[in-house]
Amino acid sequence: MSATKTEIRRGTYYDSVVLMQLQLSLSKLPGVVNAGVMMGTEANKELLEQSNLLTPEAKAALLDDLIIAIDGDDETSAEAALAQVDSLLTRRRSAAADQDYLPQSLDAASKMLPEANWVLVSVPGRYAAGVARDSLAQGKHVFLYSDNVSLEDEISLKQSAAEKGLLVMGPDCGTAIINGVGLGFANSIRRGSIGVVGASGTGLQQVTARIHQLGGGITHAIGTGGRDLSEPVSAITARQALDLLAGDDDTRVIVLISKPPAAAVADDLLRVARATNKPVVVNFIGYRPPAHLQQDEQLHFVSTLDATAELAVKLAQSPISNLQSPISPSAHLPFAPEQRYLRGLFSGGTLAYEALLLLQDYVPKVYSNAPLNKADKLANSLTSQAHTIVDLGEDEFTVGRLHPMMDNTLRLQRLAQEAADPEVAVLLLDVVLGYGAHPNPAGEIAPAVKKAKAEAEAQGRYLEIVTMVAGTDEDPQDMAGQIEQLEQAGARVETNNETATRYVGELLRTLNPLSGLPAVDPVALHQPLAGINVGVETFTESLKAQGAPVVHVNWKPPAGGNQKLMGILERMKRK
Amino acid sequence: MDIEQANLTAVERMMESHPVLVGVGKALDVIPGMREDLLLHAGPPITWERASGPMRGAITGALIFEGKAKNEAEAQKLIESGEIALEPCHHHNAVGPMAGLTSASMQVYIIEDKKFGHNTFSNLNEGYGKVLRYGAYSEEVINRLTWMNDTMAPLLRDAIEASGGIDMKALISEQLHMGDEAHNRNKAGSILFLKALAPHIARVAKDGATAGDVLQAIGDNALAVLNPVMAACKAMAIAAHGIEGSTIVSTMARNGTDFGIRVSGLGDQWFTGPVGNPKGLYFPGYTAEDGSGDIGDSTITETIGIGGFAMATAPAIVTFVSGTPKDAMNATLEMYEINYTEHKYFTMPALDFRGTPTGIDIRKVVETGITPRVNTGIAHKDAGVGQIGAGLVRPPMSIFEEALVAYAEKYGF
């Protein structure tokens, strides 16, 4: 049923051309049959009447009133069209960018170039953090060239950037290449398939230049600033950069360059590097990798800049490596959004220990009653935290009862308890066969698995239950029969511990961001780079020369550099 | 407390205010707090001792008009003895251009805010030449004031009432599309005003000669609409004033000696500093040396987002600042830096119908070091000479800094 809706606006004047344009835009909206936008003169009312748009409200309108009348397919369409009036009236081109006005504030620059996604900051250090903070507040990534930014400012900037899913490259970041556009000091490098993360400006420049000389090319070169890999900063930017490059389909090989990082940071960063599932060439000048992260077909440790470039180019040219795990635990498993944790319930101590070791490659922390590091010890062995692996064969559980390889009672209780936790996504259990073990463990475990999965499903969740059956076909329990029972109950069955654990690790990786930081929108890399430059004018010129849209801010110290006023303004911004 | 929310409320109220010119009345009868022994003047509070030449002249003229003094010496005595008090127009919901002198028996325009209900007031515009607002008080000045009060005002009152009210918000948005920035240039607006009034003047006038005189007085005066425009702006500014926590400027005014501002979230406290001397073009025979310090309540236009802030729409007057149309654009673009929003209803064709910069934010002024740009007429420094040019002036930065410090103290930053 068609319906006519009218809005009368008093005390507004619009040129008739503007009104005609508004009328045209309104009549093009879905569900709009006809639209009339006119001042309330008698002549106009007659026109509206001829188009059947003269409602009683329109008829009562005065000379100075603006009548907006819409004939829609139904009331909803007419009302929806009326709701568009303000935005249609204010819609305009961002015409300001082609004027020669030099904005004096970030705000004004953002309005002139709304698509700007990066802010280049090269103002004196004591002001740089303020400009960077304002940029982040506007949702823009920051290339922070300035040095003399305090460590406290660096940490707080990077933390707040990470929370917002933004990057802060720097402070003291001399170079970066994003989507083919060089920021700061950068060479002209061919596009290719090597992604570079660099905490050392000249190192990054030298490696990218060498890649180009060798016929290779890069996707992006992300600078982090020299202090990023220090313990206090804990490689926030480098971890974000690895996340981004991991998810970037164009990047096949990753290069990671830094002066020697803090040991704890290196560990963590290499775990993230491994989790990218792409070949990573690591040049931590003079760094010796820890035992559990030995060089292998994925992580390559090199010690010179030339070797870094050469190996990266070689890897990029080799056929697509088969690093990707054959098991690809995928998005098709219908987990609920809050489900992300693992609970491993082991009867075998060594199996539990190995699982903990293997999972280091996938997640930052797994709690246990028998952890690898003291810091990861469960506060209470009866209560799991985040990712947890419990060794139920530990003495604390076997006082006054049989070992879990013989008696499943405790494990089944714990399984039900973990399965009821809405944050749990994956359960991992070992099922050890052989002489001395329970005569039919699957006969008890399979029904519990079935029940747990059904209950989760009833609550809109999905539980992945992985069982690792350890035994032989000659064992008394009938291994094939055990596997069959478990599979029928809906469990995934593996017969070796590493495969089972790595499968779980892969799953956890998809459920938990690699770096442990909120994801940076990959648009950061794919969008054409548009910048706002605050500081050194040559950076504006070089962006222009590379064809990137840029607005230069005619920056002056805030409040004329008056510390007291700057302090007030800063506090007002934080509130 | 949420500063952004407070400022949003302030600018929304400023833009949604809906001033309509509803009548003309005697100051004593219609202006709240008006008294026989009171003179209202432009700008923040002032004493005779500190008053500039044009201000002293205008005070003298007003007292002569009221029959209370015969010359400047007598006027000085009355003021200094306290027998006659001086108070800012702004303390009485009123505004006046240049000296802004308004005395008890003067007829004033009455604006009613149809959205928020408050009334604002402004005296009648005298036209060009030797006029009271520039400090002139010769016999011809007083005679003209008397004619305006006794002949023109009653006819205007009847015509405005017959018209059912003149929508000043619609008039301002229209004049902005006709080359006026509504402060220094009101040519188009004054013609719109004349157009709105003319049929009603013709109908209500007792004789054709009076109607002709009044129509001519309005038609010859390209500033005829300035005073009701200013009162309309005052209505918008009042709507935005007194919002707890807001950093938006709700008053800017000059008395020839001090430039004063008030801030929405800081109550009625004035922050004042010495006025500057406008830079601009001078009429033949005058130079910057002859100019008085900046004076007048007409900065109420910039306060609500027009005047100097809308230069992009008034390229015809860029010559006042010996500029080019591009400079006019840049003037408006610069003002976006320190204003909170863009006006919903006041738009500029030259900027693709972008709204004018609206709601001066003291935070942004202090942070960027950019002070508001004010278009202004320039008065001669001696009483009674009148206007000698027009140009551009800016308030002192110190008053915004002091306001920010006061804000920080009040709200604990």
Side-chain angles (χ1 to χ4, degrees):
Chain A
M1 201 38 212
S2 108
T4 306
K5 289 264 156 195
T6 315
E7 187 178 324
I8 306 293
R9 296 190 171 200
R10 303 234 140 93
T12 55
Y13 164 80
Y14 293 99
D15 191 86
S16 58
V17 180
V18 173
L19 298 182
M20 283 157 77
Q21 269 174 350
L22 174 62
Q23 184 172 311
L24 185 67
S25 311
L26 285 170
S27 58
K28 283 182 182 162
L29 291 175
V32 173
V33 179
N34 198 358
V37 182
M38 297 180 138
M39 301 305 288
T41 64
E42 286 310 313
N44 286 343
K45 286 182 192 172
E46 272 175 36
L47 284 171
L48 289 173
E49 188 158 31
Q50 284 162 19
S51 323
N52 291 323
L53 287 167
L54 194 69
T55 58
E57 299 102 295
K59 204 164 191 166
L62 306 175
L63 215 61
D64 278 336
D65 292 346
L66 173 62
I67 305 170
I68 305 168
I70 292 176
D71 186 15
D73 287 338
D74 49 44
E75 286 211 5
T76 324
S77 323
E79 273 163 11
L82 276 181
Q84 293 286 311
V85 167
D86 279 316
S87 66
L88 288 170
L89 275 173
T90 52
R91 193 174 62 185
R92 63 182 74 86
R93 303 182 293 277
S94 64
D98 57 5
Q99 283 150 1
D100 63 356
Y101 178 74
L102 275 191
Q104 311 202 28
S105 63
L106 198 64
D107 273 0
S110 298
K111 281 194 186 128
M112 287 172 73
L113 190 63
E115 67 268 34
N117 41 10
W118 287 87
V119 179
L120 290 72
V121 183
S122 51
V123 300
R126 56 194 276 246
Y127 302 114
V131 179
R133 207 167 280 126
D134 292 350
S135 309
L136 294 173
Q138 297 204 5
K140 301 189 189 303
H141 304 283
V142 175
F143 174 81
L144 186 48
Y145 174 85
S146 310
D147 54 8
N148 289 316
V149 173
S150 75
L151 186 63
E152 294 70 39
D153 277 335
E154 175 170 356
I155 294 169
S156 82
L157 283 172
K158 287 186 169 177
Q159 280 172 349
S160 88
E163 280 162 25
K164 294 180 162 78
L166 296 170
L167 290 171
V168 172
M169 302 198 294
D172 201 9
C173 181
T175 180
I177 301 172
I178 301 296
N179 211 4
V181 178
L183 304 176
F185 302 112
N187 299 94
S188 183
I189 309 291
R190 187 181 300 111
R191 302 298 295 269
S193 59
I194 301 169
V196 187
V197 181
S200 142
T202 44
L204 190 149
Q205 239 187 315
Q206 172 58 24
V207 168
T208 52
R210 188 73 192 132
I211 287 173
H212 181 92
Q213 286 169 13
L214 293 168
I218 66 158
T219 48
H220 311 281
I222 301 172
T224 67
R227 275 191 313 225
D228 192 62
L229 270 58
S230 68
E231 205 154 347
V233 186
S234 67
I236 294 178
T237 306
R239 286 187 286 151
Q240 288 177 302
L242 287 172
D243 269 354
L244 269 174
L245 294 175
D248 177 36
D249 290 340
D250 298 332
T251 301
R252 286 180 52 204
V253 176
I254 296 172
V255 167
L256 182 56
I257 320 161
S258 165
K259 288 170 196 146
V265 175
D267 255 24
D268 196 34
L269 199 55
L270 291 172
R271 182 184 53 73
V272 181
R274 182 177 291 285
T276 61
N277 248 356
K278 296 182 180 183
V280 183
V281 180
V282 182
N283 183 356
F284 285 164
I285 303 150
Y287 174 83
R288 218 176 273 278
H292 65 276
L293 277 173
Q294 281 304 333
Q295 173 145 341
D296 55 29
E297 58 180 307
Q298 192 199 352
L299 293 191
H300 306 264
F301 291 91
V302 290
S303 53
T304 68
L305 298 173
D306 279 357
T308 309
E310 273 166 32
L311 183 56
V313 170
K314 199 175 126 210
L315 289 167
Q317 283 163 350
S318 63
I320 293 196
S321 78
N322 226 3
L323 277 174
Q324 269 72 11
S325 164
I327 331 153
S328 115
S330 53
H332 73 255
L333 298 180
F335 292 112
E338 69 274 17
Q339 287 187 275
R340 54 202 189 101
Y341 292 135
L342 158 73
R343 300 293 152 79
L345 306 175
F346 279 80
S347 58
T350 304
L351 296 173
Y353 189 76
E354 189 191 50
L356 285 171
L357 276 175
L358 291 167
L359 285 171
Q360 285 186 114
D361 291 351
Y362 301 91
V363 288
K365 202 177 185 72
V366 180
Y367 289 95
S368 179
N369 60 330
L372 300 179
N373 310 308
K374 271 188 199 157
D376 303 338
K377 190 164 170 63
L378 279 175
N380 176 352
S381 301
L382 299 175
T383 313
S384 301
Q385 300 167 240
H387 303 301
T388 293
I389 284 182
V390 193
D391 176 5
L392 290 153
E394 278 282 299
D395 294 351
E396 57 186 318
F397 289 112
T398 54
V399 179
R401 70 171 76 232
L402 287 172
H403 191 275
M405 282 185 198
M406 289 170 273
D407 178 355
N408 287 305
T409 318
L410 196 62
R411 212 146 62 123
L412 296 181
Q413 278 172 13
R414 187 71 177 245
L415 187 149
Q417 176 188 326
E418 305 296 355
D421 183 338
E423 288 187 319
V424 169
V426 194
L427 292 170
L428 173 60
L429 291 87
D430 59 346
V431 181
V432 182
L433 310 180
Y435 296 111
H438 191 283
N440 178 16
E444 290 181 9
I445 294 172
V449 165
K450 193 169 182 176
K451 185 163 176 262
K453 286 180 78 92
E455 281 177 2
E457 196 181 339
Q459 290 167 34
R461 288 181 285 126
Y462 173 82
L463 264 186
E464 179 74 340
I465 303 183
V466 181
T467 53
M468 197 285 288
V469 179
T472 74
D473 55 358
E474 293 177 18
D475 280 336
Q477 287 90 348
D478 174 16
M479 185 159 173
Q482 293 288 310
I483 291 174
E484 199 187 333
Q485 287 184 65
L486 291 166
E487 281 181 340
Q488 277 179 0
R492 181 184 182 95
V493 182
E494 299 290 346
T495 53
N496 84 65
N497 199 42
E498 180 167 359
T499 313
T501 307
R502 289 209 185 276
Y503 171 78
V504 167
E506 297 282 342
L507 255 187
L508 295 180
R509 184 142 76 195
T510 62
L511 294 170
N512 300 274
L514 309 180
S515 60
L517 298 167
V520 178
D521 190 342
V523 161
L525 299 183
H526 295 136
Q527 228 172 23
L529 188 138
I532 293 172
N533 184 41
V534 190
V536 180
E537 244 182 297
T538 51
F539 292 168
T540 296
E541 297 310 318
S542 83
L543 282 184
K544 275 187 191 159
Q546 296 176 80
V550 59
V551 170
H552 184 77
V553 174
N554 189 12
W555 183 85
K556 294 190 206 85
N562 179 316
Q563 291 293 334
K564 179 182 177 188
L565 297 171
M566 277 170 69
I568 292 173
L569 290 168
E570 198 53 47
R571 288 191 288 280
M572 287 169 79
K573 276 178 196 169
R574 284 184 194 179
K575 185 112 176 198
Chain B
M1 187 201 58
D2 185 340
I3 304 176
E4 303 310 325
Q5 194 51 52
N7 285 345
L8 208 57
T9 303
V11 295
E12 274 295 313
R13 287 177 59 90
M14 188 181 271
M15 295 189 294
E16 292 304 331
S17 159
H18 187 186
V20 173
L21 176 60
V22 294
V24 171
K26 190 177 166 190
L28 187 65
D29 300 338
V30 298
I31 294 181
M34 192 64 204
R35 311 185 304 268
E36 288 280 3
D37 63 350
L38 176 63
L39 295 179
L40 303 184
H41 63 84
I46 188 76
T47 57
W48 178 274
E49 190 192 356
R50 297 187 65 244
S52 64
M55 182 60 85
R56 287 181 177 186
I59 292 169
T60 305
L63 288 172
I64 294 172
F65 176 75
E66 292 289 337
K68 292 183 161 47
K70 290 193 187 62
N71 53 43
E72 189 168 332
E74 285 185 26
Q76 178 174 0
K77 213 173 129 196
L78 282 171
I79 301 294
E80 290 188 330
S81 70
E83 217 171 304
I84 300 287
L86 290 176
E87 286 176 17
C89 293
H90 275 291
H91 292 187
H92 297 268
N93 286 8
V95 278
M98 304 314 285
L101 250 294
T102 305
S103 60
S105 53
M106 282 183 191
Q107 296 284 328
V108 294
Y109 287 114
I110 306 167
I111 293 277
E112 184 184 327
D113 188 326
K114 297 288 184 187
K115 174 80 180 179
F116 297 112
H118 48 253
N119 289 109
T120 55
F121 311 89
S122 178
N123 53 9
L124 309 186
N125 198 285
E126 307 158 79
Y128 293 93
K130 287 202 181 345
V131 286
L132 185 77
R133 69 177 189 278
Y134 280 96
Y137 54 85
S138 61
E139 199 180 338
E140 69 179 287
V141 173
I142 305 301
N143 287 344
R144 175 143 180 94
L145 282 174
T146 306
W147 175 81
M148 285 168 58
N149 231 41
D150 297 349
T151 307
M152 181 162 135
L155 189 47
L156 282 175
R157 178 195 61 215
D158 294 347
I160 291 165
E161 285 172 3
S163 76
I166 295 172
D167 189 328
M168 294 306 296
K169 192 176 181 182
L171 186 146
I172 292 169
S173 46
E174 191 167 0
Q175 73 176 134
L176 291 174
H177 286 198
M178 297 169 73
D180 284 354
E181 37 68 279
H183 183 171
N184 264 19
R185 188 182 203 269
N186 274 289
K187 272 190 200 312
S190 293
I191 292 167
L192 292 173
F193 190 48
L194 181 69
K195 185 207 87 173
L197 285 173
H200 304 289
I201 289 178
R203 281 190 205 107
V204 301
K206 293 196 176 61
D207 62 279
T210 310
D213 288 349
V214 170
L215 285 169
Q216 183 159 10
I218 300 169
D220 285 350
N221 182 6
L223 292 172
V225 82
L226 172 64
N227 301 42
V229 162
M230 284 172 55
C233 294
K234 178 63 182 168
M236 301 175 196
I238 287 176
H241 186 65
I243 307 298
E244 186 73 3
S246 171
T247 56
I248 301 297
V249 172
S250 53
T251 310
M252 285 202 293
R254 314 89 92 201
N255 58 28
T257 306
D258 300 316
F259 200 121
I261 58 167
R262 296 191 295 184
V263 176
S264 177
L266 292 177
D268 290 335
Q269 186 182 357
W270 287 94
F271 300 91
T272 61
V275 292
N277 286 97
K279 291 187 188 67
L281 278 189
Y282 290 83
F283 298 160
Y286 297 103
T287 68
E289 304 258 296
D290 303 312
S292 156
D294 190 20
I295 188 167
D297 284 337
S298 52
T299 33
I300 197 70
T301 54
E302 282 84 8
T303 309
I304 62 90
I306 56 175
F309 294 8
M311 270 307 282
T313 205
I317 57 165
V318 294
T319 46
F320 275 132
V321 288
S322 55
T324 63
K326 186 158 243 174
D327 295 326
M329 294 281 184
N330 287 346
T332 294
L333 292 174
E334 184 191 44
M335 288 302 102
Y336 283 120
E337 309 242 13
I338 56 167
N339 278 272
Y340 195 74
T341 191
E342 300 181 6
H343 209 289
K344 279 202 247 176
Y345 305 110
F346 298 158
T347 61
M348 295 165 291
L351 284 176
D352 202 10
F353 297 93
R354 202 169 164 186
T356 63
T358 302
I360 303 158
D361 185 341
I362 57 168
R363 294 175 302 175
K364 294 186 171 192
V365 173
V366 174
E367 176 153 7
T368 60
I370 301 171
T371 45
R373 236 189 106 93
V374 171
N375 285 351
T376 190
I378 304 173
H380 196 284
K381 64 186 174 191
D382 298 331
V385 179
Q387 183 174 6
I388 57 166
L392 164 76
V393 73
R394 293 184 191 254
M397 177 56 91
S398 63
I399 60 182
F400 294 93
E401 294 176 347
E402 281 164 23
L404 186 74
V405 170
Y407 183 96
E409 278 163 12
K410 175 171 176 185
Y411 292 104
F413 285 101

